[in-house]
Amino acid sequence: MIVIMKPGAAQSSIDSIVSYIEANGLAVHLSRGESVTIIGAVGDKSKLSTENLLVYSEVDRIVPVTESYKLANKKFHPKPTTIKVGNTEIGPNNLTIMAGPCAVETEEQLMSIARAVKASGATILRGGAYKPRTSPYSFQGLEAVGLQYMQEAAKETGLATICEVVSLEAIEEAVKYVDMIQIGARNMQNFILLKEAGRSGLPVLLKRGLCATVDEWLNAAEYIMSEGNPNVVLCERGIRTYETSTRNTLDLSVVPVMRERTHLPIIVDPSHSTGAYKYVPAMAKAGVACGADGLMIEVHNDPAHALSDGPQSLTFEHFDALTKELRPFCELVGRKF
Ligand code: PEP
Ligand code: MN
């Protein structure tokens, strides 16, 4: 439930209510607006008498939060959240582009891609060191060595970095080298991994599962947040439908749906959703137009010889052209890029 205070409520009243809720064994999450403070209570609400809370004269009203996700819920935190990643941020003011290869292959490959995507306007370098491939015979990633190359590329370019993690061991390694970790679509409901990501101390990009509903996705975010990590960014990367002309079906309508339900930022991945480089520019622009806070785009120095996801990877030239085309879209929606 949430307790909505009257505008300008005194700090002493807020403190008393916080103590009352905590004394009843529930956890408190405060959200301060310009004049209104919202006090969220998470836990077994049967322990708490809401009538008693109404005795406080500066309480305006009490609203039950019926959804099972609380910390991710917009009712708990009406203002959009901005999340800092390295020197950059993801939130309502900017368009943040994460770009890079599907998989880190060699140091030279990663370095050349990092320089190119930075020159075109990306602020976060993506690169997979642990690859959750559909076939066990496909390239599985360079693991810790790949993470070291990511760190080298960050040092040289100043880009922030993100890498997918697929196991508890991978999280333990990744926290030493990158600025953000990614939970991929196939692991969206790997609850043990989500909890460990919540304890990692790094911001987490949570991709939507291939068949996940909005509720399941937000509950996955709640797993991370309930471990004390508020820094979760959602990523729509396409869902599985009956349609086979694209790799997945990009569900852009989920962006405005999420705006209604959560304060967390959401980005769009036009690469994994379409699976084909020629469709990426149109869907990247559509992502910006429908209000995404950022994009994740796969870029490769030599897509024809990429060890993973070559067909959907943009060349440096294509990526540069796309970022130029994105600028007027950003202006229209009032985002800096
Ligand atoms: C990736 O980002 O390289 C990836 C494997 O993404 P997804 O989990 O969306 O398939
Ligand atoms: Mn990929």
Side-chain angles (χ1 to χ4, degrees), residues 102 126 131-132 164 182 184-186 207 237 269 272 296 298 309:
C102 181
R126 64 144 287 146
K131 296 307 303 174
E164 178 170 356
Q182 172 177 322
R186 290 157 193 81
K207 287 194 152 193
R237 49 76 73 204
D269 174 347
H272 292 88
M296 170 172 269
E298 285 189 340
D309 285 348

Side-chain angles (χ1 to χ4, degrees), residues 101-103 126-128 130-133 164 182-188 205 207-210 235-238 247-248 269 272-273 296 298 308-309 312:
C102 181
R126 64 144 287 146
Y130 302 88
K131 296 307 303 174
R133 304 302 298 280
E164 178 170 356
Q182 172 177 322
I183 304 278
R186 290 157 193 81
N187 275 313
M188 192 208 81
L205 183 75
K207 287 194 152 193
R208 182 182 189 176
L210 277 76
C235 176
E236 163 59 33
R237 49 76 73 204
R247 183 177 176 183
N248 292 287
D269 174 347
H272 292 88
S273 49
M296 170 172 269
E298 285 189 340
S308 171
D309 285 348
Q312 69 198 29

Side-chain angles (χ1 to χ4, degrees), residues 2 46 84 113 132 272 294 296 321 324:
I2 55 173
S46 65
K84 219 173 140 23
I113 297 174
H272 292 88
M296 170 172 269
K324 289 195 169 82

Side-chain angles (χ1 to χ4, degrees), residues 42-165:
V42 185
D44 179 3
K45 62 179 186 304
S46 65
K47 292 181 180 164
L48 199 70
S49 155
T50 35
E51 283 92 70
N52 285 359
L53 276 172
L54 285 167
V55 166
Y56 291 92
S57 62
E58 289 191 279
V59 169
D60 185 23
R61 59 192 195 281
I62 293 170
V63 181
V65 178
T66 46
E67 295 86 2
S68 51
Y69 51 93
K70 313 286 180 194
L71 306 175
N73 203 308
K74 198 172 174 185
K75 288 178 190 154
F76 259 59
H77 191 291
K79 280 214 250 160
T81 288
T82 297
I83 289 170
K84 219 173 140 23
V85 184
N87 296 327
T88 188
E89 53 181 44
I90 307 171
N93 302 324
N94 306 309
L95 181 82
T96 305
I97 300 190
M98 307 179 178
C102 181
V104 179
E105 296 170 11
T106 65
E107 192 171 6
E108 300 69 45
Q109 170 242 21
L110 187 67
M111 222 40 117
S112 72
I113 297 174
R115 288 188 203 111
V117 299
K118 181 178 176 171
S120 300
T123 52
I124 302 180
L125 176 67
R126 64 144 287 146
Y130 302 88
K131 296 307 303 174
R133 304 302 298 280
T134 302
S135 162
Y137 308 117
S138 302
F139 177 57
Q140 304 285 309
L142 296 181
E143 304 188 344
V145 174
L147 291 171
Q148 285 165 24
Y149 296 162
M150 289 291 282
Q151 191 181 48
E152 291 298 316
K155 263 192 209 145
E156 194 193 298
T157 58
L159 290 167
T161 50
I162 179 168
C163 186
E164 178 170 356
V165 289

Side-chain angles (χ1 to χ4, degrees), residues 4 26 51 67 105 118 123 136 146 176 224 231 255 257 282 291:
I4 302 175
L26 281 83
E51 283 92 70
E67 295 86 2
E105 296 170 11
K118 181 178 176 171
T123 52
K176 300 183 213 155
I224 300 169
N231 300 316
V255 176
V257 168

